[in-house]
């Protein structure tokens, strides 16, 4: 297949809105560190961290959907730096007083002794290459995922180089191969837990999720438009979470949970991919009025800031007010902290994230224009 130029892809607001629900799931996962959740919600909160799986698949999809052949590798890397790094540094500085002390109280188990070397790893987004929890969750605990994202960004130009000549069929075969490879890797880890594969760092083990998003986005760019009603992936995800929550509760169903639990990440990534392609297809067809509602899209735009700040606010509240009781008191804390986290995310997005990204990109554009201007005379001599 020839490498024909592709048009600029339209914005997918419904996909942006999905970011919010993934970030909210992570918030639900972390909230029990401040107060017990109602029993019904507490069944599902341990699986809120699967929102990270969604983010990784979505990251591959969005970057590939918006990819432009005219954008140089250098410019791509700079734009990704401008997108994630300024807010990372600001939220890291906010997190240090909450999660670090020169003389930590043993009762505050989330507070670590100040360690300049480990914090330097956080500044450089290298902490996620360690499996040691004291390093992996160092600095701002939520930012370990940024190590994986930085790794994915570094590889993305090479992914597009490999996949850009694929037609729809080739891209979909590649997506199926990614799923099969991830499943085979999981089987190897289960059957040989002492193997070197089981000890690989998370950025490497989670790369399949990003790659899956890349393959599916390329199929979309080549014209694939699956007609999958949104209710199907939503129902499948709800059923999957219900199974994970309910199967361990009885002796009769516990063996079934034991059989599927090792494959939670792989099944979830496939379901997240199904939700993303269903939403993207519906969005392009104009069938996502509710998902494109302005409040949901705004929350999606603020989701990166929300994700990075919510744990700091949660543990800051625990340090100031102690662990809270459940019931209505816990519900009030849940609602209050959610509102405060959303408000903080809005402030961070509007006053730091967006202007910093805009200024860094403008600075790089000016430098690129200056370099281009300097080269013109040399070519005309």
């Amino acid at each position: 297949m020839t490498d024909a130029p592709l048009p600029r892809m339209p914005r997918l607001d419904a996909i942006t809105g999905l970011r919010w629900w993934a970030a909210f799931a992570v918030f639900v996962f972390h909230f029990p560190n401040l107060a017990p959740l109602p029993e019904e919600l507490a069944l599902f909160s341990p699986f809120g961290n699967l929102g990270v799986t969604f983010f990784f698949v979505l990251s591959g999809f969005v970057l590939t959907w918006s990819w432009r052949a005219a954008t140089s590798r250098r410019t791509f890397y700079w734009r990704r730096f401008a997108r994630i790094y300024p807010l990372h540094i600001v939220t890291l500085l906010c997190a240090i007083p909450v999660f670090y002390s020169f003389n930590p109280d043993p009762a505050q188990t989330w507070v670590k002794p100040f360690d300049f070397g480990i914090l330097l790893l956080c500044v450089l987004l290298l902490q996620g290459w360690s499996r040691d929890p004291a390093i992996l969750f160092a600095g701002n605990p939520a930012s370990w995922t940024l190590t994986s994202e930085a790794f994915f960004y570094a590889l993305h130009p090479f992914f597009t180089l490999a996949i850009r000549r694929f037609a729809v069929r080739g891209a979909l075969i590649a997506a199926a191969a990614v799923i099969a490879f991830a499943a085979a890797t999981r089987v190897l880890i289960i059957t040989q837990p002492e193997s070197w594969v089981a000890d690989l760092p998370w950025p490497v083990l989670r790369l399949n999720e990003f790659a899956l998003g890349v393959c599916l986005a390329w199929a979309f760019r080549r014209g694939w438009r699956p007609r999958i009603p949104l209710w199907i992936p939503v129902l499948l995800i709800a059923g999957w979470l219900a199974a994970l929550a309910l199967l361990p509760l009885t002796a009769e169903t516990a063996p079934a949970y034991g059989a599927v639990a090792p494959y939670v990440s792989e099944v979830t990534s496939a379901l997240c991919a199904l939700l993303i392609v269903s939403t993207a297809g519906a969005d392009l067809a104009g069938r996502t009025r509710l998902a494109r509602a302005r409040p949901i899209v705004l929350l999606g735009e603020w989701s990166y800031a929300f994700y990075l700040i919510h744990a700091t606010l949660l543990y800051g509240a625990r340090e100031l007010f102690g662990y809270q009781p459940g019931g209505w008191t816990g519900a009030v804390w849940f609602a209050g902290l959610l509102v405060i986290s959303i408000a903080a995310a809005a402030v961070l997005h509007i006053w730091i994230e967006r202007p910093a990204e805009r200024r860094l990109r403008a600075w790089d554009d000016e430098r690129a224009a200056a370099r281009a201007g300097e080269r013109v005379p040399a070519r005309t001599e």
Side-chain angles (χ1 to χ4, degrees):
M1 170 126 187
T2 59
D3 187 19
L6 294 170
R8 184 167 187 157
M9 298 296 106
R11 175 184 168 96
L12 298 174
D13 281 337
I15 291 290
T16 301
L18 289 180
R19 293 179 184 272
W20 161 248
W21 299 110
F24 177 72
V26 178
F27 175 86
V28 173
F29 173 75
H30 285 142
F31 184 79
N33 291 290
L34 176 62
L37 287 166
E39 183 177 351
E40 295 78 7
L41 193 55
L43 288 173
F44 297 93
S45 67
F47 309 106
N49 63 336
L50 296 177
V52 171
T53 298
F54 178 87
F55 279 129
F56 287 164
V57 179
L58 185 66
S59 181
F61 188 95
V62 170
L63 283 183
T64 306
W65 175 254
S66 60
W67 173 81
R68 300 183 70 189
T71 301
S72 69
R73 192 177 303 168
R74 177 193 173 280
T75 298
F76 171 80
Y77 288 148
W78 180 258
R79 288 178 178 176
R80 299 325 300 164
F81 172 85
R83 174 70 179 89
I84 71 168
Y85 200 76
L87 192 60
H88 158 62
I89 291 298
V90 170
T91 53
L92 174 62
L93 293 174
C94 293
I96 288 173
V98 174
F99 294 104
Y100 285 87
S101 172
F102 287 103
N103 186 28
D105 182 348
Q108 294 179 326
T109 55
W110 62 92
V111 180
K112 310 173 188 70
F114 190 89
D115 188 310
F116 179 79
I118 291 178
L119 289 175
L120 180 60
L121 292 177
C122 298
V123 171
L124 300 174
L125 291 178
L126 296 174
Q127 76 275 25
W129 288 98
S130 173
R131 286 293 198 97
D132 181 351
I135 300 176
L136 177 64
F137 302 118
N140 180 358
S143 69
W144 73 268
T145 60
L146 298 187
T147 299
S148 296
E149 289 286 2
F151 179 58
F152 301 159
Y153 296 160
L155 294 180
H156 186 260
F158 303 98
F159 274 121
T160 55
L161 190 65
I163 203 172
R164 62 194 295 178
R165 293 184 180 274
F166 283 8
V168 170
R169 184 177 181 181
L172 293 178
I173 291 173
V178 168
I179 294 174
F181 179 80
T185 301
R186 183 62 58 188
V187 170
L188 178 62
I189 291 173
I190 293 169
T191 57
Q192 301 182 38
E194 303 302 323
S195 70
W196 62 271
V197 175
D199 292 327
L200 285 171
W202 290 121
V204 176
L205 286 177
R206 306 298 289 268
L207 183 60
N208 64 86
E209 298 164 12
F210 180 80
L212 179 59
V214 169
C215 296
L216 293 174
W218 195 256
F220 261 79
R221 291 192 65 133
R222 289 301 190 187
W224 183 52
R225 296 295 182 267
R227 289 186 168 273
I228 305 171
L230 270 173
W231 64 265
I232 291 179
V234 170
L235 188 62
L236 288 174
I237 290 173
W240 174 237
L241 294 177
L244 293 177
L246 300 176
L247 286 177
L249 299 184
T250 67
E252 292 77 15
T253 57
Y257 176 80
V260 301
Y263 303 96
V264 166
S265 181
E266 288 70 35
V267 174
T268 301
S269 62
L271 291 176
C272 289
L274 184 64
L275 176 62
I276 289 167
V277 299
S278 175
T279 303
D283 200 353
L284 291 171
R287 302 193 307 270
T288 54
R289 182 177 300 179
L290 181 61
R292 291 169 59 95
R294 186 56 183 161
I296 298 297
V297 175
L298 270 180
L299 288 171
E301 292 173 352
W302 301 343
S303 62
Y304 176 53
F306 178 88
Y307 174 79
L308 287 183
I309 199 62
H310 79 276
T312 297
L313 294 174
L314 187 151
Y315 279 98
R318 178 163 177 175
E319 183 172 345
L320 290 174
F321 305 106
Y323 189 74
Q324 299 299 308
W328 284 107
T329 300
V332 170
W333 274 100
F334 182 90
L337 193 64
L338 179 62
V339 170
I340 292 170
S341 297
I342 291 173
V347 171
L348 289 169
H349 175 79
I350 293 169
W351 294 100
I352 296 175
E353 178 186 354
R354 188 170 58 185
E357 180 183 6
R358 183 164 53 244
R359 289 170 187 171
L360 287 171
R361 290 183 62 152
W363 178 78
D364 186 61
D365 291 343
E366 290 170 4
R367 290 189 64 190
R371 287 193 301 271
E374 291 169 0
R375 288 196 296 269
V376 171
R379 292 176 179 174
T380 57
E381 287 178 359

